Amino acid sequence: MHFVNSAIALIPDPRKDINIKPQLIDVIFLVFAAVLSGASGWKSIQDFGEAQLDWLKKYGTYQNGIPRCHCIANIINALDTDLLVQTLLSWIHERRERTGRTLIALDGKTLRRSWSEEICTALHTVSAYDVDAGITLYQKAANSKGKEGKLARQIIDALALDNAIVMITSSLQIKFDPR
């Protein structure tokens, strides 16, 4: 949990007298881990934490177990989200520079006004963008909405991004195989 201790420690804890039992660092790590694993709501974040508590304890204390979904929501909603995102991006950039890895951003978009009757017939694309070089490495169209995650996985494989840090937008849901 080295990154969390160094980077997230800079984020001020907005809590005063309530919800102070869970450590802020533990809640933020729980939310990141759960969302990256496919959790899509506060209850599913809590469920993930309860199911993965032993694993989470390898990276944090979780002295009082996993907080309830309402507690998680209140803590995260009280945070300065711009500062949280900026802190995470700074950490990613620092790690990327230290390891000499390229930063690749994957993003899925639906081309505006590219459909006539319904959005499912619109043009959906996924792009791989090399942040440092400022160029698009790869762009491919998906044949329908909801296929962008599979397409992003294909792009990662096609570009052989073994030695890169890949950032994926939240709209792209990808299942990674452990390699």
Side-chain angles (χ1 to χ4, degrees):
M1 188 145 125
H2 176 320
F3 93 89
V4 175
N5 286 331
S6 60
I8 303 298
L10 302 174
I11 297 174
D13 193 336
R15 301 173 293 173
K16 301 294 180 227
D17 297 329
I18 60 171
N19 292 335
I20 57 173
K21 279 188 179 178
Q23 290 188 20
L24 179 63
I25 221 160
D26 288 347
V27 174
I28 292 171
F29 184 72
L30 165 65
V31 171
F32 280 154
V35 170
L36 289 171
S37 297
S40 59
W42 303 118
K43 180 66 174 135
S44 62
I45 291 170
Q46 177 187 336
D47 292 343
F48 170 86
E50 290 169 351
Q52 299 296 328
L53 185 56
D54 290 337
W55 177 80
L56 289 166
K57 283 184 175 181
K58 292 179 183 177
Y59 303 98
T61 61
Y62 298 93
Q63 295 169 334
N64 299 303
I66 299 300
R68 294 291 185 224
C69 57
H70 299 292
C71 179
I72 297 168
N74 290 337
I75 293 168
I76 297 300
N77 287 330
L79 289 175
D80 178 345
T81 53
D82 290 336
L83 180 59
L84 180 63
V85 169
Q86 194 59 35
T87 302
L88 180 62
L89 291 175
S90 294
W91 173 79
I92 290 170
H93 186 66
E94 179 266 321
R95 296 265 308 180
R96 184 193 59 76
E97 282 183 340
R98 190 168 10 121
T99 60
R101 292 181 176 175
T102 304
L103 179 61
I104 306 295
L106 287 182
D107 190 24
K109 294 290 181 202
T110 300
L111 189 62
R112 189 179 210 170
R113 295 186 181 87
S114 66
W115 70 89
S116 56
E117 297 297 319
E118 62 180 79
I119 195 164
C120 290
T121 63
L123 177 61
H124 308 285
T125 63
V126 177
S127 301
Y129 182 76
D130 183 329
V131 176
D132 291 331
I135 60 170
T136 300
L137 300 174
Y138 197 93
Q139 189 173 53
K140 192 167 182 181
N143 57 2
S144 67
K145 185 78 178 153
K147 304 288 186 195
E148 296 95 340
K150 184 176 179 183
L151 189 57
R153 177 76 250 177
Q154 292 170 358
I155 290 173
I156 291 169
D157 291 340
L159 293 175
L161 297 177
D162 291 336
N163 197 27
I165 296 174
V166 179
M167 293 178 53
I168 301 171
T169 62
S170 61
S171 63
L172 294 176
Q173 295 184 4
I174 301 175
K175 295 187 178 177
F176 288 98
D177 359 342
R179 295 181 185 199

